Amino acid sequence: MSISLSSLILLPVWISMAQIQQGGPDEKEKTTALKDLLSRIDLDELMKKDEPPLDFPDTLEGFEYAFNEKGQLRHIKTGEPFVFNYQEDLHRWNQKRYEALGEIITKYVYELLEKDCNLKKISIPVDATESEPKSFIFMSEDALTNPQKLMVLIHGSGVVRAGQWARRLIINEDLDSGTQIPFIKRAMDEGYGVIVLNPNENYIEVEKPKIQVQSSSDSSDEPAEKRERKDKVSKETKKRRDFYEKYRNPQREKEMMQLYIRENGSPEEHAVYVWDHFIAQSAAENVFFVAHSYGGLAFVELVLLRT
């Protein structure tokens, strides 16, 4: 018989070795009963936790959302604003859905920078090889040749990328509130060259290679009985660890590793790199910076290092 945990609440049970050793037959019977109970728990049923798969659309249309003529994100059928709590009582799933939508919006803003603002996407490092991690910035056609004035925009920390001030404002308010586009358009209308930094794009993520761990008992000179006992303990330990990890994260995601981008591994490094390879090479007599939140600190670091 298996026990479904769809309605069972697990509470931490702490049993010390001293309690087991000091307890009489009753304590040992309780311990045996507890072990028997845990052994009959249907783990697969527990891990489902009614959480839908973490499989989300990769387009705004797939999410059934679009930006209207006012730059507001609205549901294409109901006309309603974005709803975070799409699945009641499933905060983790809702958060993952929100993050997936945010990644789509990031790409959407990149497209607006190129198509609506006529900026060029420039890959960095400028001398990057084909295989190494890369980032990019955006520049107007005259960013390096405008003799009068150049405007440089630096966003803050977090999930935002080039062209954004705040993802939350883009989703809940509108594009004008959450992106740098109004600043860019006005600057270009008033004769500025423009460079848009991308200080949070510091690394790429790749799937972490699986390491095959060979059992140390394979080449051991220990007696067979002792090796079998150690292997059994090791398997039980792994089983318990996997149980708690799976309970904490029922839909285990891929383990990822970060490959940092050369000379752009932090917002501060990025600002210095763009200064050295672009801003300092520009013809502009006057350079103006517009920085938000942590972007201001990156600018201060740049000033300290380069003036």
Side-chain angles (χ1 to χ4, degrees):
M1 181 184 73
S2 64
I3 299 175
S4 172
L5 292 188
S6 57
S7 61
L8 178 63
I9 298 176
L10 287 182
L11 296 176
V13 179
W14 299 96
I15 301 175
S16 69
M17 290 303 297
Q19 287 174 318
I20 294 175
Q21 292 170 357
Q22 292 174 7
D26 289 344
E27 286 294 331
K28 291 180 180 178
E29 287 179 10
K30 290 178 182 178
T31 303
T32 302
L34 176 60
K35 288 180 178 178
D36 180 60
L37 172 66
L38 292 175
S39 69
R40 291 184 284 119
I41 289 174
D42 187 341
L43 293 183
D44 290 334
E45 186 68 23
L46 169 64
M47 298 321 144
K48 290 178 184 176
K49 293 174 61 180
D50 298 324
E51 184 179 68
L54 299 175
D55 184 19
F56 303 106
D58 56 6
T59 64
L60 280 177
E61 293 77 11
F63 271 95
E64 297 188 327
Y65 281 97
F67 287 99
N68 62 20
E69 65 281 356
K70 296 179 180 179
Q72 300 167 324
L73 187 67
R74 293 292 183 264
H75 196 277
I76 58 177
K77 294 179 179 178
T78 67
E80 294 295 316
F82 177 74
V83 176
F84 179 85
N85 290 314
Y86 189 79
Q87 295 281 354
E88 190 176 355
D89 297 329
L90 289 175
H91 178 81
R92 177 178 176 273
W93 187 90
N94 289 326
Q95 179 64 32
K96 291 294 182 182
R97 174 175 173 266
Y98 176 81
E99 291 170 5
L101 176 64
E103 291 302 309
I104 294 171
I105 287 175
T106 290
K107 294 176 183 177
Y108 182 80
V109 172
Y110 289 159
E111 291 177 6
L112 291 179
L113 293 180
E114 292 187 279
K115 296 177 181 178
D116 204 28
C117 300
N118 297 314
L119 301 184
K120 296 186 301 179
K121 186 178 180 181
I122 308 297
S123 180
I124 55 174
V126 292
D127 59 346
T129 63
E130 188 70 25
S131 59
E132 75 172 296
K134 304 174 189 65
S135 180
F136 49 87
I137 59 173
F138 292 88
M139 299 195 316
S140 63
E141 287 283 350
D142 65 340
L144 303 183
T145 59
N146 188 315
Q148 299 298 323
K149 46 193 179 181
L150 172 67
M151 178 173 287
V152 181
L153 297 101
I154 315 176
H155 60 63
S157 61
V159 296
V160 290
R161 294 295 186 269
Q164 300 181 49
W165 292 129
R167 177 185 288 182
R168 179 181 60 81
L169 290 178
I170 297 173
I171 293 175
N172 298 323
E173 297 295 332
D174 53 44
L175 288 167
D176 281 355
S177 299
T179 74
Q180 299 172 350
I181 291 173
F183 290 77
I184 296 168
K185 287 185 173 180
R186 180 168 177 179
M188 295 178 75
D189 286 344
E190 295 187 9
Y192 288 80
V194 174
I195 296 180
V196 178
L197 271 61
N198 203 8
N200 291 336
E201 192 77 10
N202 307 129
Y203 56 82
I204 63 170
E205 285 193 327
V206 297
E207 188 172 355
K208 194 173 184 179
K210 294 181 179 179
I211 301 175
Q212 298 294 332
V213 180
Q214 192 171 16
S215 175
S216 59
S217 61
D218 292 346
S219 59
S220 173
D221 294 330
E222 294 175 331
E225 183 179 349
K226 188 174 181 180
R227 287 203 308 270
E228 289 176 6
R229 188 163 58 250
K230 286 178 66 175
D231 287 343
K232 183 178 180 181
V233 171
S234 177
K235 288 177 182 177
E236 288 297 323
T237 301
K238 184 179 184 300
K239 185 178 179 181
R240 287 195 299 271
R241 184 173 62 246
D242 290 346
F243 169 82
Y244 289 115
E245 172 60 22
K246 202 173 179 185
Y247 179 73
R248 184 185 66 82
N249 185 9
Q251 297 190 55
R252 180 177 293 180
E253 299 163 66
K254 295 178 181 178
E255 288 191 68
M256 308 297 287
M257 61 185 295
Q258 299 170 347
L259 300 179
Y260 280 85
I261 298 165
R262 175 165 53 89
E263 298 183 78
N264 287 269
S266 69
E268 294 85 352
E269 277 191 7
H270 177 76
V272 170
Y273 185 88
V274 176
W275 173 273
D276 290 344
H277 292 82
F278 297 94
I279 302 172
Q281 310 301 322
S282 71
E285 183 179 349
N286 299 291
V287 179
F288 301 84
F289 284 81
V290 180
H292 173 251
S293 186
Y294 197 84
L297 294 179
F299 169 70
V300 170
E301 183 74 12
L302 171 63
V303 171
L304 293 174
L305 290 174
R306 289 295 183 267
T307 59

